[in-house]
Every structure is written in structure tokens, then in C-alpha cells.
Amino acid sequence: MYTYEQLHQFATQIFIAIGHEEDLAKKASDVLISADLRGVDSHGIARLKGYVRLWEVNRINAKPNIRIVHETPSTATVDADAALGLISAPIAMKIAIDKAKQVGSGWVSVKNSNHYGIAGYHSMMALEEDMIGISMTNASPLVAPTFGKERMLGTNPISVAIPTLHQTPFVADMATTTAANGKLEILQRKNLDTPLGWVQDADGNPTTNAHGVKEGGALLPLGGDREHASHKGYILGSIVDIFSAVLSGANYGPWAPPFVSFMDPVADPVGEGLGHFFGAMRVDAFRPKEDFLRNMDTWVERFRKTAPIDTDNPVQIPGDYEREMEADRRINGIPLLAPVIADLKELGEKFGVTL
Amino acid sequence: MYTYEQLHQFATQIFIAIGHEEDLAKKASDVLISADLRGVDSHGIARLKGYVRLWEVNRINAKPNIRIVHETPSTATVDADAALGLISAPIAMKIAIDKAKQVGSGWVSVKNSNHYGIAGYHSMMALEEDMIGISMTNASPLVAPTFGKERMLGTNPISVAIPTLHQTPFVADMATTTAANGKLEILQRKNLDTPLGWVQDADGNPTTNAHGVKEGGALLPLGGDREHASHKGYILGSIVDIFSAVLSGANYGPWAPPFVSFMDPVADPVGEGLGHFFGAMRVDAFRPKEDFLRNMDTWVERFRKTAPIDTDNPVQIPGDYEREMEADRRINGIPLLAPVIADLKELGEKFGVTL
């Protein structure tokens, strides 16, 4: 078990070691370790090595000049200058929030960026301002569109955070595939099969092979097959791709640069780096704040009271799981798997940082 | 077979007969008959009787004072004054577009409205302005959240329309359930079973009974079951509900008023009428217009060329089906089922209008 502070400090020192100023390194760690805290282990410190490797192949700029390159009162496009997405994303979300303060809502697309951690960190920045926050990103192509056998989209997550008065806020953070890659990795480690509807093989046949994606197959869009409306998952992933990357001028669809350093980005890019998209809407841009927040409390209370199929298994509000994980891990610490600890120790030795 | 003009004229005269001014009646028919044209038969003239019945029980105001009740430069809330959603929705979308012209993007929530036809009509209004259009609405509660057996949400559709230069535009229009109600109705008429994952029975058990919803069960959120991530469909339906109804002050969740006139709205409403939400973003609020449109052309071309599983069944672009239906039906006419024709004749006799 490690404390939040231990992991945060370690990651910060690594980010400094690869050339970041201390304030940027700390911000990157805030985003990265929030994933470990919230139980999204696949997106936390386990990825630190991956970011360092991207830096080693000159795909991360540790001294970025992150700037607005196009704007209107309610919108902006940000050039992340090849920064860690962990750094460019909160800066872009802050621009969206500032625009919302001025004109009611703010919408920011980002190009020339990299993997931005968990989508929910950024959308949740809006909550303390009594705004609705929206966050999405495109990602390494692993997903086949309905009827296709080629990997054309990433798991392209969508996060929406909505404030409440006294109730727990509504915080959705979901991949637009049936299963996120992290879930597959768990089954791979345990040598278990997946349910049908998560993965297809290299010929496009349904498979239960948890290694199917690595063997040339693809993740399936939310819905899983045409009969269960996988075209809707394909639509959602496409919208995320277009808002994040076509709107900003990043690489879209199959051109999205891979997160792994051993795969080179495509030789004929259609844009710059990876793309994100953020939104912030002041709730009092639509009605008096208290009215909205009180109604949201009623919404949350009423949905919790939905007649359950099984009384031991009540209907949940989006964000419940992550909130419970965070409450537990702040007190009891964050568990890490042995291979992750080994990776971190190796990283530490390389850069003279102790865990 | 009927021509578009025949159905449009008939619907217009019926809307006038129940008290609408001619221009509003024509606008309502534009929206209504666009569904027939685009092959979404469940949302077209087959529903005309339903709208008239709502008017008969005083739930439709034919002389509405549709007005902005709250606004900022980029947002507005509209009180539809119990108008047909077919009338209030295009007015609200126009406000979103006008705000986008001024400040880059416009976002409009609507309360006190009624069923607004197909979501895609409204989002597509943005295309001719070189804007991205967004449209969503809450609806009669028919859908159970994951782990619940109670109907808490509507089929709550999302539509996103994205312009291109020479290619066909991207026009998504999807219910946030595995199957829209219209698909169930087709199976009911043919006395066929549904696939598992579309419907659950009154106890929350999976069922293949196409009549399951009418018998006290519920439609299932996109994903179908927990293993296939139905919680993501529940999240999407909830976001539509909150943006459409909590943001505007309409009835949300299980309080959403039913479309059918024989069911009374709940006695303890939490808001006014049904809610919608619209968005418009100028593409040149993010980057030069031509750059965006050219990249979208490349996006569409590349996705059409996705390696297919079956070469006879290529990957489609959202909106292909509806566009093909429209091209066909403009020339060859719109087929109507015998019961629909009977309903229309009965309506016509009542109001002295001939089909």
C-alpha cells in the first residue's frame, strides 16, 4: 500500500527529472494520481513509464508553450505544443471555465497534445464553479466501426460532471466501447475469457479471447454487435474523435498517434498530435443557481430510490464507485501490483528518485 | 404511396384546424413529415393523431407565446408555453444558431414543451450555416436504469450534425436505448420476438417479449445488460434528461409527461412540460472553415474505406440510411400502413380535411 502523497511526490520528481518545471510537474501528478485514487488503476501511476518512454522518443515536450491559436468569446482552440495531456488538459479546461464566466459557456478544442489521464479529472474542475463540465479525447486506434475489421477509433471517453446542492454530484466518465482497455488487461492477467460483445478477432468474428486485440483484432463499440446497436457506440466514438481532433486540427481516426513508444506515429499525419475537447456551462446561465442545484438533488435522490431488481443491489448514480474508492484509498492507501512497483523502482533508479 | 406534398398539406390543415396560424402549422408539418421522408416512420404522420389528442385534453397550446426567460451571450432558456415541440424546437435551435453567429456557440434549453419529432431535423438546421448542430430531448418514461425495474427515463435521443465540404454530412440521430420504441412496434405487429438485451419484464428479468414494455416491463439502456455496459446507456439517457429538463426547469426522469393522451401527467410535477436542449457551434469559431470542412471530407472518405468484414456490407457514415430513404421517397413517394391511413381518414373527417 502506498499513500497518495508518496505516489504524487514520486511522479512529480520523475516529471521534473525529464525536464518539467515544478508547478507543471505537480499539476501532471495531480491528474495522473487522481486515477489511482479513484480506482481507475489503468490510467494512473502504472502509465508513468509510458509517458517517460514517449519523452525518450521525443514525443513529449517538457517545456511547452501552450497557447490559444484561435478564439471567439465562447470558444478557443489550443495548441498544446506536444505537452503531456496531463498538463495541457487542465489549462484548456480552465480556459473553458473562464469563458463560461464571461459569456455563459466555454468550449475548447486542443491539438498537438498527448494522453490526458482520466477524462473525469478535467470535467470535475467545473463542479466547484457551479458549472457543468464536459471532457473528451481521442486515443490510439483500437476500435472497429460496425461492419469493419480495421481499427479506426480509440476508446474515446466522454465525461460529464454535473453539480448538486447537498447530494453527491453526477460524474460520468465512460469509454465509448463496451469495455475499456483496462478491463481487458485484468482478464489477460488472470487468463480469463471476455464476454462476447467486447472484442472481435482479426477477421471481424466475435471472440471471447482477452488477447484478441493484441492478436490483430479490435475492441467493439458500445453495443457490441449490430443487433445490440453497436452503430451507436461507433457514432459516439466518432463524435468524440471529430470534436477532439477535426475541430482542433489534431490527428483523427486511424491517424491518432499511438500511446506506446514502440509504435511510431503514422508517416502521413493529417494533423498535429492527439486532440481533446472541453466544455463548461454555468448552471446560472440557464436558470437561478439554487433552482438548478435543488432540482439536481431531487434527481439524484429519486434515481437512488428506483425500485431495484435485487434489493441488495440498488441503482447507482454515475461517480458512486469512484467516490467510494477515493474515500477508501485516501485513508487506507493505494494498492499497486508487483509489476507496477517493479517498473516504478526501475524508473526511480534511472532518474535517482526513491519511491 | 403518398407524396411528401400530400402529407405535408394534410398535416398543415389539421394543425390549422386545431387553432394554429398558417406559418406555425407549416413549420410543424416541415418537422413532422421530415420523419416520413427520412424513413423514421414512427415519428412522422403516424403520430399526427397523438398530437391532436394531446390538444383535445388541453395539453397543447395552439397560440403559444414562445419566449426567452433567461439568457447570457451564449445561452438561453426558452419557455415553450405548451406549444407543439414541432414548433418550439426549431425556434429554440434558431436562437442557438443566432447566438453562435454572435459569440461562436449557442446553447438553448427549453421547458414547457411537448414531443418535438425527430431529433435530427433540428440539429441539421446548423449544417447550412457551417455549424455543428446538437439536439436532444427527454421523453415519456419507458426505460429502467441498470439494476432497476422501474421506468425512470425516456428513450432520450441525441442528434449531432456535422458539416462537410463535398462529402455527405455526418448526421447521427440515436435513441440512448438499445432499440428505439419504433423498432419494437414493428416486431409487435409481426408477432416476432426481440433479441435479448432490448427489453426486460416487470420483475426486471431479461425477456424476448416484444410486448414486454406494455406488460409492465421496460426498455433497456444502450448496452442491454451490465456485462455489456448498460450503465453507459443509462448515463447517456441521464445526461439528456438533465440537459433537457433540469437545466430548463421542465419535468425530468419519471416525472416527464407521457406522450399518450390517455395517461395523465403526474399530479406532482417537478417542472413544466417536457424539455429539450440544443447546441450550435460555428466551425470557424475553432479553425478556418475550409480547413475543418476539408478534414471532415477526409474523415468521411477514410471511414467509408474501412476494411469491411464482408465486402457487400461496407462501413456506413451516420445519416446514410436516412439520406437514401429521403432520396427514394422524394421520387417514389412515402408508403403508409393501412392502420395509419385509416387514422388519417378519421382525423380528416373530424376536421373536414381530405387526404
Side-chain angles (χ1 to χ4, degrees), chain B residues 122 175 178 247:
Chain B
H122 314 299
T178 309
L247 216 41

Side-chain angles (χ1 to χ4, degrees), chain B residues 220-268:
Chain B
L220 289 169
L222 175 60
D225 59 37
R226 182 62 181 78
E227 197 169 72
H228 296 89
S230 63
H231 61 292
K232 298 183 181 179
Y234 159 42
I235 284 171
L236 294 168
S238 298
I239 292 169
V240 172
D241 190 45
I242 293 166
F243 282 21
S244 301
V246 184
L247 216 41
S248 67
N251 289 291
Y252 44 85
W255 289 282
F259 179 70
V260 289
S261 62
F262 59 84
M263 283 176 70
D264 287 330
V266 289
D268 57 340

Side-chain angles (χ1 to χ4, degrees), chain A residues 341-352:
Chain A
I341 296 171
D343 277 353
L344 295 180
K345 291 210 163 137
E346 199 184 309
L347 258 186
E349 277 163 29
K350 193 177 213 165
F351 293 101

Side-chain angles (χ1 to χ4, degrees), chain A residues 58-106:
Chain A
N58 285 319
R59 285 176 53 196
I60 300 285
N61 178 4
K63 301 267 190 267
N65 175 18
I66 299 169
R67 63 204 183 277
I68 293 174
V69 292
H70 195 109
E71 70 182 315
T72 71
S74 76
T75 68
T77 295
V78 165
D79 183 334
D81 197 20
L84 289 167
L86 303 170
I87 289 170
S88 65
I91 289 173
M93 185 68 198
K94 179 69 165 50
I95 294 169
I97 288 171
D98 288 344
K99 287 189 175 277
K101 283 181 187 166
Q102 296 297 318
V103 295
S105 75

Side-chain angles (χ1 to χ4, degrees), chain B residues 137-174:
Chain B
T137 185
N138 74 342
S140 317
L142 292 173
V143 182
T146 306
F147 303 143
K149 62 182 180 185
E150 193 179 354
R151 299 172 186 171
M152 298 291 284
L153 291 165
T155 52
N156 295 8
I158 299 173
S159 175
V160 176
I162 305 175
T164 46
L165 192 62
H166 302 299
Q167 291 293 324
T168 47
F170 178 105
V171 181
D173 185 352
M174 55 174 258

Side-chain angles (χ1 to χ4, degrees), chain A residues 70-77 102-105 107-109 132 134 145-150 152-153 158 160 162 170 172-180 183 195-198 200 203-204 222-223 226-229 231-236 238-239 241-243 245-250 252-255 270 277 281-288 292 294-296 298-299 302-303 305-310 313-318, chain B residues 70-77 102-105 107-109 132 134 145-150 152-153 158 160 162 170 172-180 183 195-198 200 203-204 222-223 226-229 231-236 238-239 241-243 245-250 252-255 270 277 281-288 292 294-296 298-299 302-303 305-310 313-318:
Chain A
H70 195 109
E71 70 182 315
T72 71
S74 76
T75 68
T77 295
Q102 296 297 318
V103 295
S105 75
W107 306 86
V108 177
S109 67
I132 293 174
I134 297 168
T146 305
F147 302 142
K149 62 181 179 184
E150 193 180 355
M152 298 290 285
L153 291 165
I158 300 173
V160 176
I162 305 175
F170 177 105
D173 185 353
M174 52 174 261
T176 50
T177 45
T178 308
K183 287 207 166 184
L196 278 173
W198 290 25
Q200 69 185 16
D203 297 321
L222 176 59
R226 183 61 181 78
E227 195 169 74
H228 296 89
H231 61 291
K232 298 183 182 181
Y234 160 41
I235 284 171
L236 293 168
S238 300
I239 291 169
D241 190 45
I242 294 166
F243 282 22
V246 184
L247 216 40
S248 67
Y252 43 85
W255 289 282
V270 290
F277 185 77
M281 296 192 284
R282 259 168 44 209
V283 301
D284 69 356
F286 292 92
R287 58 190 297 217
F292 176 88
R294 265 206 208 94
N295 274 198
M296 268 311 292
T298 309
W299 194 99
R302 181 66 186 87
F303 274 75
K305 284 185 197 151
T306 305
I309 295 173
D310 164 2
N313 213 7
V315 167
Q316 302 207 313
I317 302 301
Chain B
H70 195 108
E71 71 180 314
T72 71
S74 76
T75 68
T77 295
Q102 296 297 317
V103 295
S105 74
W107 307 86
V108 176
S109 69
I132 293 175
I134 297 169
T146 306
F147 303 143
K149 62 182 180 185
E150 193 179 354
M152 298 291 284
L153 291 165
I158 299 173
V160 176
I162 305 175
F170 178 105
D173 185 352
M174 55 174 258
T176 51
T177 46
T178 309
K183 286 209 163 181
L196 276 174
W198 289 26
Q200 68 185 17
D203 296 322
L222 175 60
R226 182 62 181 78
E227 197 169 72
H228 296 89
H231 61 292
K232 298 183 181 179
Y234 159 42
I235 284 171
L236 294 168
S238 298
I239 292 169
D241 190 45
I242 293 166
F243 282 21
V246 184
L247 216 41
S248 67
Y252 44 85
W255 289 282
V270 290
F277 184 78
M281 296 192 284
R282 261 168 42 208
V283 301
D284 69 357
F286 292 92
R287 57 191 298 214
F292 177 88
R294 264 205 209 97
N295 274 197
M296 268 312 292
T298 309
W299 194 99
R302 181 66 186 87
F303 274 75
K305 284 185 198 151
T306 305
I309 295 173
D310 164 3
N313 213 7
V315 167
Q316 303 206 314
I317 302 301

